[in-house]
Amino acid sequence: MATKRIVVITTGGTIAMKRDIHSQTIEPSASGKELIDSVPDIKQFADTELIEFANIDSSEMSPQMMFELSRLIRKQLARQDVDGIVITHGTDTLEETAYMIDLLHDSPKPVVLTAAMRSFDDPGTDVPTNLFAAVKVACADVCRGVGTMVVMNDEIHAAREVRKTYTSNVATLESPGYGPLGIVDEDHVIIYRQSLTREFLPAKKIEPKVMLLKMSAGDDGSLIKFAVKSGAKGLVIEGLGRGNLPTPAAEETIRAIKTNIPVVLTSRCFKGRVLGIYGGSGGGKKLHDAGIIYGGDLSGQKARIKLIVALGLVSQLTELKKIFERQMY
Ligand code: GLU
């Protein structure tokens, strides 16, 4: 007998795709009802209610759509009769949507995103397994207060930490440096740990014009210059190692900060925090002294989402610095 009420919100992704024999590509086509009906056993765990938000490849997901989706989720979470939410999504931008949703709500009810790497009609599809696992997690009392989770391949990851790591494999999700929060083992949901750096930013709007720039050896700063010229309201720079930049890129970054554009520094490394322990003209210390904001252990794409949300809440560099650096330094 189902005792929980779960709202399933579909947005598209491979989980809702089927092969088109003419184009020989996979395209968004499975409806939300088809998805839920493909796992009849869900009924043993939950009464589901379906909301079809979109049916797109997640490469088309924009910050504004993520924000609308977050608003919809908060509305559902506020309902007394709803116990949890499951969102289906493509894996390409799943980690960004999950993180924005996580930053924008503080409900203890489980919010779970899931996806698939093999299409709905693939003979070896991971659609039913992942959807079923996500519903189990959304129903699990042990997942209350854990924040927004991402469930795939029987692993439960924190929205803040998870990354897509493999272009094609079903074991694509990892939380580098941290590992999963827990697992789904048959009908059992186990949580081994929680992410203690979770934050709530009650923004009523966002600033989507934030650009992410990745550094490489010999970067001459021209992309940073272009980003400033094209009206970026914020920049995230995925720097080298501990948070260092080639000198010309560092000079261009400092120029950007002087024009009052908030610039957040992250690392292109998969694990660890940025910190200005290196001197020199492109060293993290000089950048921080000039006003760059440390992005902590966030990936570039996650720091961009955080800046997009934070700029909807505050605009002063000092306030942004507090939001980014309060827990970490
Ligand atoms: N292009 C797909 C997407 O919508 C990637 C694979 C997937 O959905 O998991 O993100």
Side-chain angles (χ1 to χ4, degrees):
M1 264 294 273
T3 52
K4 303 274 184 169
R5 173 164 288 268
I6 302 298
V7 176
V8 177
I9 303 176
T10 57
T11 72
T14 304
I15 194 166
M17 290 190 192
K18 294 181 190 168
R19 184 159 295 276
D20 180 284
I21 43 165
H22 301 295
S23 63
Q24 285 299 308
T25 54
I26 55 171
E27 305 285 344
S29 49
S31 68
K33 185 169 174 342
E34 271 180 279
L35 275 181
I36 294 173
D37 288 351
S38 72
V39 195
D41 284 355
I42 283 178
K43 290 191 189 72
Q44 291 173 19
F45 282 80
D47 288 325
T48 52
E49 207 175 298
L50 173 67
I51 301 176
E52 296 189 285
F53 178 80
N55 199 353
I56 54 168
D57 189 293
S58 76
S59 50
E60 304 295 339
M61 185 61 77
S62 66
Q64 201 53 48
M65 287 178 78
M66 293 174 195
F67 189 65
E68 295 308 326
L69 179 61
S70 303
R71 205 197 305 265
L72 172 65
I73 290 165
R74 283 199 305 279
K75 209 170 135 196
Q76 299 306 314
L77 287 169
R79 284 173 50 189
Q80 288 220 328
D81 61 331
V82 168
D83 297 295
I85 314 277
V86 168
I87 303 116
T88 60
H89 200 285
T91 49
D92 284 354
T93 58
L94 177 68
E95 63 208 76
E96 286 152 273
T97 301
Y99 188 44
M100 184 176 306
I101 292 168
D102 197 44
L103 286 172
L104 290 168
H105 87 87
D106 63 350
S107 167
K109 295 178 185 175
V111 177
V112 187
L113 287 94
T114 192
M117 290 300 282
R118 298 183 183 149
S119 62
F120 187 76
D121 55 354
D122 186 294
T125 186
D126 51 339
V127 171
T129 321
N130 290 344
L131 184 60
F132 198 15
V135 171
K136 288 174 193 171
V137 171
C139 290
D141 291 334
V142 74
C143 291
R144 281 182 65 88
V146 172
T148 308
M149 292 159 280
V150 182
V151 172
M152 265 184 98
N153 204 32
D154 285 341
E155 288 184 344
I156 306 164
H157 292 266
R160 186 184 180 282
E161 296 159 1
V162 73
R163 292 176 84 134
K164 182 173 184 175
T165 65
Y166 208 125
T167 57
S168 57
N169 195 288
V170 294
T172 187
L173 295 187
E174 287 180 39
S175 297
Y178 303 101
L181 300 176
I183 56 165
V184 180
D185 181 10
E186 301 292 339
D187 288 350
H188 308 281
V189 175
I190 321 283
I191 295 290
Y192 293 115
R193 67 171 187 90
Q194 286 201 25
S195 177
L196 301 178
T197 47
R198 219 190 135 216
E199 289 165 276
F200 171 49
L201 300 179
K204 299 272 181 292
K205 58 182 171 62
I206 55 168
E207 174 48 77
K209 209 164 167 49
V210 173
M211 295 183 193
L212 169 61
L213 302 168
K214 186 177 186 130
M215 287 295 115
S216 53
D219 190 292
D220 66 359
S222 51
L223 284 178
I224 298 170
K225 199 172 180 173
F226 174 78
V228 172
K229 236 177 136 184
S230 65
K233 297 287 187 288
L235 297 180
V236 175
I237 299 193
E238 210 177 279
L240 310 172
R242 209 55 160 124
N244 305 310
L245 309 183
T247 295
E251 284 168 354
E252 216 48 73
T253 300
I254 292 168
R255 236 169 260 143
I257 295 167
K258 281 190 180 142
T259 66
N260 248 346
I261 295 176
V263 185
V264 174
L265 180 66
T266 64
S267 174
R268 67 180 196 176
C269 292
F270 267 41
K271 302 177 194 175
R273 307 183 320 146
V274 292
L275 193 64
I277 62 163
Y278 289 94
S281 50
K285 170 87 171 65
K286 182 161 185 202
L287 293 166
H288 200 244
D289 288 348
I292 208 163
I293 300 167
Y294 289 145
D297 59 337
L298 290 173
S299 65
Q301 59 270 31
K302 293 261 167 81
R304 175 175 173 261
I305 292 295
K306 186 168 173 179
L307 187 53
I308 284 171
V309 173
L311 280 168
L313 207 55
V314 299
S315 53
Q316 297 294 318
L317 280 180
T318 47
E319 294 169 311
L320 287 165
K321 223 173 170 49
K322 259 189 231 156
I323 288 178
F324 274 86
E325 297 184 356
R326 66 184 158 201
Q327 288 176 322
M328 313 296 285
Y329 299 96

